[in-house]
Amino acid sequence: MVPLNLASRYGTMKEYVHDILSRLDRNDKTLTMLHIDDFHYPMVDLDGEDALDTDTLVEILFKASKSSYIRSLELRFVEFDHGASISQAFQHLLLDPHRKWDSVSVTACSGMTCDDYCAIASALDRCQTLYWHQNHQTSACALGTLGISLASSTSLETLHLTRGDLCGDHARALLDGLSSNSHLMRLVMNFCRFDADGVDALAEILRQNSHLQELDLGACHLNDSHIERIAVALKGHPKLQSLAFTLNGCQTRGAQAIAQLLQHPLCRLASLNLSHQKLPSSPRSMLSVEPIAKALVTNTSLKRLRLSRNHLTCQDVTCLISSLKVNQTLQVLDLNSNNLGDAGALMIAKAMSKLRGLRELYLLKNDIRLNETSMAFCTSLQTSNRTLHILEHRPCEHQAQIRYELALNAAGRCLLIHDRVPL
């Protein structure tokens, strides 16, 4: 049984199935996405109108292969081993050489065969986005098949690979295909588990691939040494614009390598996410902010820096303020959930007149309690800061006035302090 995720306009599963089959029969051009989900509904038979049996699922897939408008396919929690007919229908749909795919998404599916993997690999040359999430029994053979297709794909722009074990040969089987790929722009590998060999394989490929624009390695249990190796591999990358290491273990060595990346003359990085750096064995973050702050003095590309949930101190704030008095490029600074307290927030408020690049500042959950702190922000906005558009912190009695001053900044109040303003 494969229950579907019903759209809100359908009262029962029976209505959904009847409508989908009817629209497929008449080749309805408004039906562009097929979504099949085996998670959101209880496992009951079709008479209960909450589930889809295997035969009906196969019928939908085969009819979808005849529709000329289906461009997106999403399968969640489908058990392919319930019958070979599911695999046949799935392969028949993906192997259509004339169909262009906006996206193919396979999440937490089990029982897939090598032929199923080959069908997905075949579709990569006609697909813009592939989501491969937490699928059971993903073998080295399967990853190798995807890797070979990645090497020759000229259509795939985004690859989401999450909750996979990328160790040793498994990692190389997949990643080798990226070394010669010149079309993939976004690589998301959240919750993947790397060993030392897997990190080495990733670093080696990143040195060779000069076309990637976004890399997200959030929650991959990377330690300080791993992050150092990856950052060193990315040093001088000519196109990388977004890098995320959320929920990892970056400390001093990793931060120093990232700082060198930011200081490289070819750096194009516009977004850096280092939120929540914490090793499993330590209750507190050990992220070293100082080298990254110093790199901002000369960096002219970074626009968004996220450092939330890192237990930053007033000393860290001092380093950041010192650099941002010089840096005019950084526009977004996220310091949420750092327990900076009123002391750290006051330091920022008093320096606001010299932080002329910032447009957005986030200070939520920082134990800011005193009205003196919020009044300091309000005064800075009224008298000297003309660039901040968004300030998020604990609600206070000056909130309305702060929002008013921010709205004036967003409306272009900075023009009033320049000479020769056009009428």
Side-chain angles (χ1 to χ4, degrees):
M1 300 291 182
V2 182
L4 295 184
N5 184 13
L6 297 181
S8 58
R9 71 173 184 270
Y10 297 107
T12 65
M13 175 63 69
K14 198 171 185 178
E15 291 177 10
Y16 176 86
V17 171
H18 180 271
D19 183 51
I20 291 298
L21 290 174
S22 175
R23 293 168 71 187
L24 288 172
D25 282 335
R26 64 176 185 268
N27 201 19
D28 187 345
K29 65 180 181 180
T30 65
L31 182 61
T32 60
M33 178 177 180
L34 194 60
H35 179 97
I36 300 175
D37 196 327
D38 191 13
F39 180 75
H40 291 91
Y41 290 87
M43 298 297 286
V44 297
D45 58 27
L46 193 55
D47 292 337
E49 297 181 335
D50 281 324
L52 183 67
D53 58 54
T54 298
D55 291 341
T56 308
L57 168 61
V58 170
E59 182 180 2
I60 290 176
L61 289 173
F62 270 121
K63 287 192 174 183
S65 66
K66 298 178 182 179
S67 168
S68 53
Y69 298 104
I70 296 292
R71 299 193 303 271
S72 295
L73 174 66
E74 182 174 2
L75 299 184
R76 290 170 50 86
F77 298 90
V78 173
E79 297 184 15
F80 280 72
D81 48 8
H82 275 184
S85 54
I86 295 179
S87 287
Q88 293 172 2
F90 175 71
Q91 294 167 27
H92 186 70
L93 176 59
L94 286 182
L95 290 173
D96 180 0
H98 303 294
R99 188 180 303 277
K100 302 290 186 181
W101 292 101
D102 291 339
S103 67
V104 173
S105 176
V106 183
T107 300
C109 293
S110 62
M112 299 183 73
T113 66
C114 288
D115 289 339
D116 295 322
Y117 297 132
C118 288
I120 295 172
S122 174
L124 290 189
D125 203 38
R126 295 171 280 106
C127 178
Q128 292 183 358
T129 302
L130 174 64
Y131 296 88
W132 186 264
H133 294 192
Q134 199 178 357
N135 293 294
H136 306 301
Q137 301 170 347
T138 302
S139 64
C141 175
L143 293 174
T145 301
L146 293 177
I148 292 171
S149 297
L150 285 173
S152 59
S153 174
T154 58
S155 296
L156 194 69
E157 297 177 354
T158 303
L159 173 61
H160 285 251
L161 178 72
T162 63
R163 296 190 184 275
D165 289 325
L166 295 177
C167 305
D169 292 341
H170 280 66
R172 293 189 183 280
L174 174 72
L175 297 172
D176 278 349
L178 294 177
S179 61
S180 57
N181 183 294
S182 59
H183 292 81
L184 192 74
M185 294 186 291
R186 290 170 288 276
L187 179 59
V188 180
M189 307 181 81
N190 297 158
F191 295 96
C192 287
R193 296 296 185 97
F194 291 86
D195 64 358
D197 289 338
V199 171
D200 286 340
L202 177 61
E204 181 181 334
I205 297 308
L206 292 175
R207 287 190 186 93
Q208 300 176 41
N209 187 303
S210 59
H211 297 274
L212 205 62
Q213 297 180 18
E214 299 179 22
L215 177 62
D216 188 343
L217 294 169
C220 288
H221 292 267
L222 299 170
N223 61 32
D224 198 33
S225 176
H226 294 160
I227 293 175
E228 179 187 30
R229 277 184 274 175
I230 293 170
V232 168
L234 290 170
K235 187 178 176 180
H237 195 290
K239 292 188 178 180
L240 190 70
Q241 298 177 19
S242 177
L243 178 62
F245 283 119
T246 319
L247 274 167
N248 284 295
C250 184
Q251 297 179 286
T252 302
R253 291 170 56 184
Q256 290 173 344
I258 291 172
Q260 292 174 9
L261 187 158
L262 291 172
Q263 291 172 317
H264 195 280
L266 291 181
C267 180
R268 299 292 180 268
L269 202 64
S271 176
L272 175 62
N273 192 337
L274 290 172
S275 299
H276 203 181
Q277 300 301 306
K278 185 175 79 69
L279 294 174
S281 59
S282 173
R284 297 177 65 85
S285 169
M286 298 296 289
L287 175 66
S288 178
V289 172
E290 184 177 1
I292 295 172
K294 289 182 177 179
L296 293 178
V297 174
T298 55
N299 178 275
T300 58
S301 65
L302 197 68
K303 296 181 179 179
R304 295 174 293 280
L305 177 60
R306 304 196 181 278
L307 297 170
S308 63
R309 299 189 70 181
N310 280 309
H311 297 276
L312 301 186
T313 65
C314 289
Q315 182 179 354
D316 296 317
V317 171
T318 300
C319 293
L320 287 169
I321 289 175
S322 176
S323 298
L324 293 179
K325 287 178 180 179
V326 179
N327 181 292
Q328 300 292 303
T329 308
L330 194 74
Q331 298 179 6
V332 179
L333 180 60
D334 181 357
L335 297 175
N336 285 338
S337 303
N338 274 301
N339 297 319
L340 297 177
D342 289 288
L346 272 171
M347 292 172 62
I348 298 174
K350 292 177 180 180
M352 288 297 294
S353 62
K354 297 180 181 179
L355 307 184
R356 298 175 181 175
L358 278 186
R359 299 292 185 271
E360 302 176 24
L361 176 61
Y362 298 90
L363 294 171
L364 292 172
K365 297 183 179 180
N366 271 290
D367 199 28
I368 300 173
R369 299 179 180 273
L370 298 178
N371 285 330
E372 178 188 354
T373 306
S374 58
M375 187 61 199
F377 278 111
C378 189
T379 302
S380 293
L381 288 168
Q382 287 176 325
T383 60
S384 57
N385 184 282
R386 299 290 182 263
T387 56
L388 198 68
H389 297 173
I390 296 175
L391 172 62
E392 291 195 2
H393 62 95
R394 185 173 179 267
C396 61
E397 61 179 83
H398 304 288
Q399 193 73 17
Q401 185 63 35
I402 289 174
R403 288 179 177 175
Y404 174 73
E405 301 297 337
L406 291 170
L408 288 180
N409 283 352
R413 180 164 54 174
C414 63
L415 292 174
L416 298 179
I417 64 175
H418 294 302
D419 295 331
R420 300 178 183 178
V421 178
L423 291 177

